[in-house]
Amino acid sequence: MRAARLIKMVLLLQNRASMTAAELARELEVSERTVTRDAQALSEAGVPVYADRGRAGGYRLVGGYRTRLTGLARSEAEALFLSGVPGALREMGLEDAASAARLKVSAALLPSVRDASRTAAQRFHLDAPNWFREPKTPELLPAVADAVWDDRRITAQYRRGEHEVRRELEPYGLVLKAGVWYLCARVAGRESFRVYRIDRFTAVDAGEERFEREEDFDLPAFWEERAEQFARSILRAQVVVRLSEQGARRLPHAVDSLSAREALAAAGEPDGDGWVTLTLPVESEEVAHTQLTALGAEVEVLAPETLRERFAAEAARLAELYRPR
């Protein structure tokens, strides 16, 4: 533990001209007294750490000293490629590995480009969770992530409806979608892949047995195909609607965007009022009512009659609610 901290201290000082004891303590998550002892230990070991006294003082490396301790461990290299998703790194237990990797890469760079990671972080950030939703990290995510990295089989118990099911899985990949973690895996002994929500796992046992990974498995392509299949599978009903020009523009933001674009492309020419009529696949009348309500007076439901009646009843209630006092 201390050896790793000493290496990190050297890399920090190598990447910056000088750092105060308070700054080092904050980066290393120790006390300033510990920083002083670590600096003395490094000096005794032959690393030229020099302490400047005074208000503007701090610790620095003398004489352009450079360490060669910049080789990346495998876990650090893997974590580095995920460093644009800091929340996901924390949830999978890889934050420390990514931090060490970034320091080692910075130490190996030329001084003219050493601040590249800082300038990039100032300009780009990926915020994966959805709006208005408090993300909750699944308790078993780190165990599943470890198995994914090592290609180790897991025995997982998960909720399916009112029952719990136990399966032996070959975990191929993790996907973070709108703040929800999914596992793409294959049941041991089968060829097809399935998708599981990690927050529905109630127990995970990762043994030492490894599986032979299909090298041509493409996780992004698999997820894109499966997500499209899922979206289409739940659209079991249809509604016929008229849309104003503004309603047509807003439709892809109110319902499934792919279905909306396809329905708009198949629609006929606008009528004399500039409205278009189209048939739209939806999950159910209940869901369609919730989604299309967001379009307000820019949409008119023509069929089914039960959904039209629901909109008419709600419109009457709104008219009564907002009648002049």
Side-chain angles (χ1 to χ4, degrees), residues 96-109:
D96 289 342
S99 176
R102 286 192 292 269
L103 276 173
K104 290 181 179 181
V105 169
S106 296
L109 294 174

Side-chain angles (χ1 to χ4, degrees), residues 181-200:
W181 284 95
Y182 296 89
L183 172 68
C184 302
R186 184 165 58 183
V187 177
R190 300 183 185 178
E191 294 186 0
S192 61
F193 290 88
R194 299 188 63 182
V195 176
Y196 302 85
R197 278 185 61 144
I198 302 295
D199 57 7
R200 292 179 182 166

Side-chain angles (χ1 to χ4, degrees), residues 235-258:
L235 303 178
R236 301 185 181 94
Q238 289 185 334
V239 298
V240 181
V241 297
R242 287 180 70 237
L243 292 162
S244 68
E245 184 177 348
Q246 183 179 355
R249 287 198 304 269
R250 291 165 51 188
L251 184 65
H253 304 286
V255 301
D256 178 69
S257 59
L258 179 61

Side-chain angles (χ1 to χ4, degrees), residues 124-195:
F124 302 100
H125 175 67
L126 175 61
D127 184 11
N130 207 346
W131 286 106
F132 313 119
R133 180 176 183 171
E134 188 66 29
K136 185 178 180 181
T137 304
E139 182 180 347
L140 297 173
L141 175 61
V144 176
D146 284 345
V148 170
W149 283 124
D150 295 338
D151 293 341
R152 282 184 288 125
R153 282 196 174 97
I154 63 173
T155 301
Q157 190 165 315
Y158 66 97
R159 296 187 304 274
R160 189 168 70 182
E162 299 180 355
H163 307 283
E164 288 197 356
V165 180
R166 192 177 181 87
R167 291 283 187 272
E168 186 177 351
L169 302 175
E170 297 176 350
Y172 266 69
L174 288 168
V175 175
L176 178 60
K177 170 70 172 179
V180 180
W181 284 95
Y182 296 89
L183 172 68
C184 302
R186 184 165 58 183
V187 177
R190 300 183 185 178
E191 294 186 0
S192 61
F193 290 88
R194 299 188 63 182
V195 176

Side-chain angles (χ1 to χ4, degrees), residues 16-313:
R16 308 180 194 180
S18 176
M19 294 183 70
T20 66
E23 290 172 336
L24 283 169
R26 187 165 55 251
E27 290 280 356
L28 300 173
E29 298 180 351
V30 296
S31 67
E32 293 185 31
R33 181 173 296 182
T34 299
V35 168
T36 301
R37 288 198 296 264
D38 285 353
Q40 183 177 352
L42 286 171
S43 181
E44 292 173 355
V47 178
V49 178
Y50 181 78
D52 290 317
R53 305 293 180 183
R55 175 175 293 183
Y59 292 92
R60 60 185 175 85
L61 293 175
V62 180
Y65 176 85
R66 295 186 63 81
T67 177
R68 295 185 179 182
L69 296 173
T70 54
L72 291 178
R74 180 176 180 84
S75 62
E76 295 168 349
E78 291 168 336
L80 187 62
F81 288 100
L82 295 172
S83 58
V85 197
L89 281 170
R90 284 193 300 271
E91 294 175 9
M92 289 190 291
L94 295 171
E95 187 175 27
D96 289 342
S99 176
R102 286 192 292 269
L103 276 173
K104 290 181 179 181
V105 169
S106 296
L109 294 174
L110 294 172
S112 59
V113 295
R114 197 168 293 155
D115 66 340
S117 61
R118 178 182 60 82
T119 56
Q122 289 175 334
R123 290 163 173 79
F124 302 100
H125 175 67
L126 175 61
D127 184 11
N130 207 346
W131 286 106
F132 313 119
R133 180 176 183 171
E134 188 66 29
K136 185 178 180 181
T137 304
E139 182 180 347
L140 297 173
L141 175 61
V144 176
D146 284 345
V148 170
W149 283 124
D150 295 338
D151 293 341
R152 282 184 288 125
R153 282 196 174 97
I154 63 173
T155 301
Q157 190 165 315
Y158 66 97
R159 296 187 304 274
R160 189 168 70 182
E162 299 180 355
H163 307 283
E164 288 197 356
V165 180
R166 192 177 181 87
R167 291 283 187 272
E168 186 177 351
L169 302 175
E170 297 176 350
Y172 266 69
L174 288 168
V175 175
L176 178 60
K177 170 70 172 179
V180 180
W181 284 95
Y182 296 89
L183 172 68
C184 302
R186 184 165 58 183
V187 177
R190 300 183 185 178
E191 294 186 0
S192 61
F193 290 88
R194 299 188 63 182
V195 176
Y196 302 85
R197 278 185 61 144
I198 302 295
D199 57 7
R200 292 179 182 166
F201 283 10
T202 57
V204 171
D205 180 19
E208 296 302 322
E209 183 183 1
R210 285 177 163 77
F211 63 90
E212 193 70 28
R213 173 180 287 267
E214 290 187 12
E215 293 300 326
D216 59 349
F217 177 75
D218 187 334
L219 179 60
F222 167 78
W223 177 260
E224 182 179 0
E225 179 183 358
R226 188 55 59 90
E228 183 176 334
Q229 289 176 358
F230 173 76
R232 292 185 181 278
S233 69
I234 63 174
L235 303 178
R236 301 185 181 94
Q238 289 185 334
V239 298
V240 181
V241 297
R242 287 180 70 237
L243 292 162
S244 68
E245 184 177 348
Q246 183 179 355
R249 287 198 304 269
R250 291 165 51 188
L251 184 65
H253 304 286
V255 301
D256 178 69
S257 59
L258 179 61
S259 298
R261 288 194 296 268
E262 291 179 350
L264 287 167
E269 294 296 321
D271 59 22
D273 298 323
W275 290 49
V276 294
T277 299
L278 55 87
T279 300
L280 181 69
V282 294
E283 185 174 345
S284 65
E285 284 191 28
E286 185 72 31
V287 173
H289 176 258
T290 302
Q291 293 175 332
L292 295 176
T293 297
L295 300 181
E298 306 304 322
V299 61
E300 178 190 2
V301 174
L302 302 179
E305 189 62 30
T306 50
L307 182 58
R308 181 178 175 86
E309 290 172 355
R310 179 180 295 193
F311 271 93

